[in-house]
Amino acid sequence: MTNVYHDTAYRSDAIPALPSGGHPDMDKVFQRLPWGRCQNPIVPNTMAVQLAYAGLFKDESDTYDGFPWGESVFSVSKGFLSGLQGSLYILYMCAWLAFFISFLPLAVGIIGTIMYRPNIEGVIFLFDAYKYMYLIIAICYFGGKYGRLLLAHLTDKRQRANPTGLYRREGVVRIKERKSVFEAPFIEFDAYLIHTPSGRGGRYFNLVLQHRYSKHPLWMKGLVTDAMNQNDVYAYWDMVQQFMDVSGPLPDVPIFEPFRSRDPVTREWDERTDRDPFKWRKVTSDSWRTNHEQTHRNRLQNTNFHHPCILDARIQGRGLPMPDEPRGAMLA
């Protein structure tokens, strides 16, 4: 079983001593997130995508082609096309929100028509007043939804050729930059909670893995992008760590469920705990919203993500003394 994992695979219970390094400028501006104590909380805002992805794999014969998420690779989108897909998704969500918000002025218009112009002319006037607004909403909704799906289909081959992502069995991170690929062990990266203005008086939060000994960053966009709640990013970082940690099973979330039997440590864990292989795939979107969502939102809100960092304890200059630091003490 252990032959599946490389010697470089990340094991949270066997972290080697690491040389000093870091980015003090980033530490002054952004929050460096601690390693360890993964509590496997669900990120509720990602569950619609996760359940839809898991639903693509009906049985074991379907799991040969897990992309962008599988038992050994956690692919991370990069580049213009991925950004365009993200923009189309935001357009789709904004249109969906605008549709429900528009009910208020429409209700006012309907009441006004009934009270003051209860005839065919009033109905025509009401229709003319709102037709362009709903036409724009429809274009944004269907253009964003199906345009994103079409773009994903047309660019699938190109995105699969991009090696950017996290590799569980090898314990490495790969970042494609133009014609070259940067590779480094997972434990050489520091995780940061990056915040940017939302343009609406708030902030967007994202997870960035910054290589400690160089200037190579990996923006972990894709599953969690531009979160409005910091806890979403904290939980996402927990999930990423658990994915990479071969001393334990894969995170118990929908996107990894179809592939759990293909990871030796996870398969052994599931057999020992008698986990239902279709635990998440039996949950529909409606069932999630009705029976589970609020529970997990409350759990996420009440989870304490602030704890000592197990990795800092193994880095020179943080938890370990520098090689040239004197260890003796002056005796009286």
Side-chain angles (χ1 to χ4, degrees):
M1 179 183 73
T2 56
N3 292 336
V4 170
Y5 308 109
H6 295 210
D7 292 339
T8 54
Y10 169 58
R11 294 171 174 83
S12 61
D13 56 357
I15 301 174
L18 297 168
S20 63
H23 297 273
D25 291 343
M26 290 188 68
D27 291 339
K28 293 177 182 177
V29 181
F30 303 114
Q31 180 185 353
R32 179 152 49 85
L33 303 180
W35 287 61
R37 198 185 168 192
C38 298
Q39 302 169 80
N40 194 33
I42 301 297
V43 186
N45 289 334
T46 69
M47 287 300 290
V49 172
Q50 292 204 51
L51 290 171
Y53 180 76
L56 298 174
F57 305 94
K58 304 300 182 183
D59 53 50
E60 290 295 319
S61 62
D62 296 331
T63 61
Y64 73 95
D65 190 30
F67 178 84
W69 303 294
E71 79 282 359
S72 59
V73 181
F74 189 120
S75 297
V76 180
S77 301
K78 284 192 70 181
F80 171 75
L81 293 176
S82 297
L84 181 57
Q85 287 186 50
S87 298
L88 289 172
Y89 178 72
I90 293 174
L91 182 65
Y92 154 68
M93 293 300 295
C94 288
W96 179 84
L97 181 62
F99 175 72
F100 286 98
I101 293 176
S102 69
F103 284 163
L104 179 60
L106 179 62
V108 173
I110 292 174
I111 294 172
T113 300
I114 294 173
M115 293 179 62
Y116 302 108
R117 300 184 67 178
N119 50 43
I120 189 65
E121 287 81 7
V123 173
I124 294 175
F125 177 82
L126 183 66
F127 174 78
D128 288 338
Y130 288 94
K131 64 181 179 182
Y132 292 112
M133 180 182 73
Y134 280 103
L135 177 61
I136 293 172
I137 290 176
I139 291 174
C140 291
Y141 179 86
F142 291 106
K145 181 177 182 179
Y146 295 106
R148 177 173 176 262
L149 296 175
L150 177 62
L151 185 62
H153 175 74
L154 295 176
T155 62
D156 180 69
K157 185 175 181 180
R158 181 172 178 178
Q159 291 192 49
R160 287 173 182 266
N162 186 343
T164 299
L166 312 175
Y167 293 77
R168 172 178 168 89
R169 295 182 178 180
E170 300 167 68
V172 300
V173 177
R174 295 190 177 106
I175 306 172
K176 188 177 189 305
E177 297 180 342
R178 297 183 181 179
K179 296 183 179 181
S180 62
V181 177
F182 175 78
E183 178 181 304
F186 180 56
I187 56 175
E188 290 188 0
F189 285 82
D190 288 324
Y192 285 92
L193 175 70
I194 302 294
H195 53 80
T196 53
S198 67
R200 294 173 291 178
R203 287 180 172 181
Y204 288 133
F205 299 99
N206 287 285
L207 175 64
V208 171
L209 302 185
Q210 175 65 55
H211 189 239
R212 194 176 304 114
Y213 311 108
S214 72
K215 295 184 179 181
H216 295 281
L218 176 58
W219 285 74
M220 292 294 297
K221 291 190 174 183
L223 189 60
V224 175
T225 301
D226 293 340
M228 301 298 290
N229 184 351
Q230 297 183 54
N231 283 8
D232 285 358
V233 178
Y234 295 147
Y236 187 32
W237 171 230
D238 268 13
M239 188 182 76
V240 167
Q241 290 180 81
Q242 190 171 357
F243 171 80
M244 292 296 288
D245 186 2
V246 299
S247 67
L250 289 166
D252 194 350
V253 293
I255 57 173
F256 298 121
E257 181 175 81
F259 315 100
R260 293 180 69 86
S261 64
R262 296 174 57 172
D263 182 77
V265 170
T266 307
R267 182 172 61 246
E268 182 181 302
W269 172 273
D270 289 352
E271 290 173 354
R272 188 167 66 249
T273 59
D274 196 27
R275 182 189 183 277
D276 181 357
F278 289 85
K279 167 187 168 181
W280 286 114
R281 283 172 283 181
K282 291 178 180 178
V283 178
T284 65
S285 295
D286 290 339
S287 175
W288 161 256
R289 286 192 294 269
T290 303
N291 304 318
H292 306 286
E293 183 173 10
Q294 192 57 51
T295 298
H296 285 284
R297 288 193 181 278
N298 292 340
R299 179 186 174 188
L300 180 68
Q301 191 63 33
N302 295 328
T303 299
N304 179 18
F305 292 98
H306 304 286
H307 51 80
C309 178
I310 63 172
L311 194 70
D312 278 357
R314 304 296 299 156
I315 299 175
Q316 293 175 350
R318 295 185 185 177
L320 295 178
M322 296 293 289
D324 56 350
E325 285 184 3
R327 300 194 182 187
M330 182 66 70
L331 300 177

